[in-house]
Amino acid sequence: NGEPGSRPGGRGQHGAVQPFSDEDASIETLSHCSSFSDAMSVAEEGGEAGEETAQEDLQYKLKVFIDSTVDKSAKTRQGALDGLKAAMATRILYEFISDRRMTITDSIERCLKKGKGQEQCAAASLACLLCIQLGSGIESEEVFKTLKPIFKNILLDGAANIQARQACATSLGLCTLVAEDDILDVYATMESFESLFMRSYVKEDGSRPSLNPQTTLLHTNALLSWALLLTICTGSQLKAVTHKHLPKLPRLLENDDVNMRIAAGETIALLFELARDMDPEFEYDDWEPLCDKLNSLATDCNKHRAKTDKRKQRSVFRDVLKAVEERNFQTETIRFSTERMTIDSWVRKRTYDAFREFVGSGMNYHLQANEFIRDVFELGPPVLVDAATLKSMKISRFERHLYNAAAFKARTKARNKFRDKRVDVGESDVV
């Protein structure tokens, strides 16, 4: 029973998956596709002709990856997904991807539905990178409309692979931020996240739920995605959320898992920042006990905790305590190319961390050349950089060509603005 769109003779993952053998036609090609460095070296050696060859080579490899996402071999599909992820994280590929977005979306859908564990995780991450490449607009909305129900089904299915659920929790959050076109649907997605992380809340009788580490990680990812979507909520929604969750979130600071404690702390700091932005006189009834708890975590000497956990926790909670107690934020400066960006709020930090989780070391490149990410962080159109400065950036000639080409196009074409969802519903908020 072949999968729709699979190669002749291919089987779905629920059939007997063949081992990754020399008989797989795509293996040799995929092995050459694991890195893009060969394309870069061709460009370096050959000037303009080399750049053109490298561009063609890159596009050929990307086409092979796309074709290989429907291969009968799970290992080949995994390699193809990982190859596309690496390319999208480190390149601006809008024109190439835009023409093939629904083909890629179909592959992601198939891998999410038919794949297992690792393949589903890779497909979920690729969905985010696809939306980051397309930016906020009709194209990414179209992709997300197809994938959102699948994300939600996996996320809320207790019988689904736990790693796949964890990946969907993170990907659904970022895809919603980028591509959701209706604020009410944003709230519905937030409620899906709440239905998960609230299971980590202390029970009515004061007892803490007993959960395994993988379930706690699912709840942590859900909480972080929920916090990301808080950054685009309307004032009335923020008031309702603060009233409902701020009294309960501090109990998550007692969780046995360091990452859950940190996620809870950062979410509390974010909620305080948003609440005070709306109402500078905002007051919280249990402010003193909360500050005591934050202080104890910022100075934690618990012998039963690992040293690295304690170090990480103390650093974060010193910042959270300053936010709650003194309304201070530990500003961080991100330098990229000839520019710099300041992370000067919890809203900005949560947004930056969410994007960086997917593009990784490619974040600085996206801050330079990705119009959409530059819009999110209010950096303006990409800056055209002179040849001498580009040379000093120690990137290949092909990379320099790509960068300035992206910057030039971005400055001359009409830019697709990142929508502020708060503005979108200003009128509809008054019923």
Side-chain angles (χ1 to χ4, degrees), residues 140-261:
S140 59
E141 285 168 18
E142 199 178 12
V143 168
F144 188 50
K145 274 189 171 69
T146 301
L147 298 178
K148 179 170 76 168
I150 304 159
F151 278 149
K152 284 199 172 182
N153 284 344
I154 295 170
L155 178 69
L156 302 174
D157 179 1
N161 178 282
I162 190 71
Q163 280 82 19
R165 295 180 73 200
Q166 291 161 359
C168 286
T170 304
S171 295
L172 178 59
L174 189 68
C175 286
T176 301
L177 182 85
V178 176
E180 184 57 83
D181 63 347
D182 186 337
I183 194 71
L184 296 177
D185 287 336
V186 173
Y187 299 156
T189 297
M190 288 177 74
E191 283 174 8
S192 295
F193 291 136
E194 286 177 25
S195 73
L196 292 172
F197 72 74
M198 283 176 69
R199 294 176 196 173
S200 281
Y201 280 171
V202 170
K203 295 176 184 173
E204 301 245 331
D205 62 4
S207 64
R208 280 191 288 168
S210 177
L211 302 168
N212 67 50
Q214 291 300 322
T215 302
T216 298
L217 179 54
L218 170 64
H219 293 180
T220 303
N221 290 0
L223 176 61
L224 288 170
S225 282
W226 180 81
L228 178 66
L229 298 181
L230 280 177
T231 66
I232 55 169
C233 280
T234 59
S236 57
Q237 179 69 5
L238 280 172
K239 279 179 188 166
V241 161
T242 304
H243 178 74
K244 179 179 176 183
H245 289 281
L246 198 51
K248 293 174 182 176
L249 276 168
R251 296 300 299 271
L252 288 180
L253 301 173
E254 299 162 24
N255 197 283
D256 291 334
D257 184 273
V258 65
N259 293 315
M260 175 56 98
R261 292 196 297 274

Side-chain angles (χ1 to χ4, degrees), residues 308-374:
T308 50
D309 284 358
K310 280 191 284 191
R311 226 184 349 259
K312 185 177 169 189
Q313 177 184 286
R314 284 199 293 253
S315 168
V316 170
F317 278 97
R318 280 196 293 270
D319 293 343
V320 172
L321 181 61
K322 277 184 193 165
V324 173
E325 211 169 34
E326 303 166 26
R327 303 182 183 223
N328 280 352
F329 181 84
Q330 191 66 39
T331 302
E332 184 186 352
T333 301
I334 311 291
R335 289 179 175 80
F336 52 98
S337 176
T338 56
E339 300 176 80
R340 62 180 60 188
M341 176 180 84
T342 306
I343 306 287
D344 55 4
S345 68
W346 289 98
V347 166
R348 217 162 223 233
K349 176 176 163 47
R350 180 76 284 271
T351 309
Y352 177 82
D353 288 350
F355 282 110
R356 192 179 59 181
E357 185 158 352
F358 290 97
V359 299
S361 61
M363 188 66 187
N364 283 3
Y365 185 77
H366 280 273
L367 284 169
Q368 280 171 241
N370 184 318
E371 292 172 64
F372 165 64
I373 284 187
R374 291 183 67 87

Side-chain angles (χ1 to χ4, degrees), residues 266-282:
E266 291 186 337
T267 303
I268 288 166
L270 176 67
L271 265 177
F272 266 89
E273 179 179 279
L274 290 165
R276 286 164 172 168
D277 280 349
M278 287 189 299
D279 175 12
E281 304 300 312
F282 171 76

Side-chain angles (χ1 to χ4, degrees), residues 3 7 10 52 65 72 101 116 119 139 144-145 162 175 184 189 247 258 335 343 346 383 386 392 403:
E3 287 177 41
R7 294 181 174 185
E52 203 170 306
F65 283 146
K72 66 181 180 183
R101 66 186 183 279
K116 290 179 182 168
E119 184 180 335
E139 290 173 329
F144 188 50
K145 274 189 171 69
I162 190 71
C175 286
L184 296 177
T189 297
V258 65
R335 289 179 175 80
I343 306 287
W346 289 98
V383 176
D386 64 80
S392 71
Y403 173 67

Side-chain angles (χ1 to χ4, degrees), residues 41-58:
S41 59
V42 169
E44 275 293 276
E45 290 160 18
E48 279 185 30
E51 284 168 10
E52 203 170 306
T53 307
Q55 183 75 342
E56 285 170 7
D57 194 31
L58 179 63

